[in-house]
Amino acid sequence: MITEHLLQIKSKLPSDVQLVAVSKTKPNKDILEAYNAGQRIFGENHVQELTQKYEDLPKDIEWHMIGHLQRNKVKYIVPFVSLIHGVHSFKLLKEINKQAKAINRTIDILIQFHIAEEDTKFGFSLDEAKEMLDAEQFPTYNNVRVRGVMGMATFTDNQEQIHQEFRTLHMYFQELKGHYFNRNNDFSIISMGMSGDYKIAIVEGGNMVRVGSAIFGERNYAE
Ligand SMILES: *Cc1c(COP(=O)(O)O)cnc(C)c1O
């Protein structure tokens, strides 16, 4: 079933949209099934689970940290992580830079924006992000590479609201691209959309979708 679901979703994605298979709570055998069907990018939201899976599974997997990351856990994932989606504060960015520098790596990150109405979701406002990017010391953080933006829409049946929220994130991307990353082709990723709303995200210009349950089935326990 996993292979079938994965291939079906992939066959309908535009060629410029990257699929992150969200494997949180799922066992290694499920991940290997998707891997054997050609999937290489997987997303996890807990540091300990991510680290364990990295150790156990094929080394050509690109692991994305998609969840809320605490500063004191950054050091555990920095050695191997490919992309950190949820950079929600300047302090977190500084810590990623510090740990990356210590092992001579450069870590790709996305700036997380708060676009949903729920305040349980983390992220910058546009002004806060600009404040960080304008900070005098920002250019000294050479061990992080800002690749784009990430956001989560409100959990709602209101499709128009989801469209609006993703449209807002796309606008933030354009704004930052124009002001700060004009001649920087690395700044290119708009990570938005999950199983329930990735089709809307693509319509609104997303080019990286994070899909879990539509590939692996429902999760048994809350994340
Ligand atoms: C769990 C999770 C997803 C995937 O959710 P599904 O609804 O299972 O597709 C995507 N993004 C983030 C940040 C998540 O925590």
Side-chain angles (χ1 to χ4, degrees), residues 20-24 43-45 65-68 85 112 150-152 155 191 193-198 209-219 223:
V20 179
V22 177
S23 49
K24 61 192 187 195
E44 290 282 337
N45 70 339
M65 176 64 191
I66 62 167
H68 183 65
H85 288 233
Q112 181 173 3
M150 179 266 198
M152 289 166 88
F155 189 70
S191 167
M194 317 186 0
S195 293
D197 56 18
Y198 74 90
V209 294
R210 310 176 307 268
V211 180
S213 45
I215 297 171
F216 295 105
E218 292 299 324
R219 286 176 294 274
E223 328 72 85

Side-chain angles (χ1 to χ4, degrees), residues 71 74 90-100:
R71 271 181 289 152
V74 166
F90 198 0
K91 280 180 169 175
L92 178 59
L93 180 137
K94 287 178 187 171
E95 178 63 16
I96 294 167
N97 186 76
K98 179 179 156 195
Q99 297 297 339

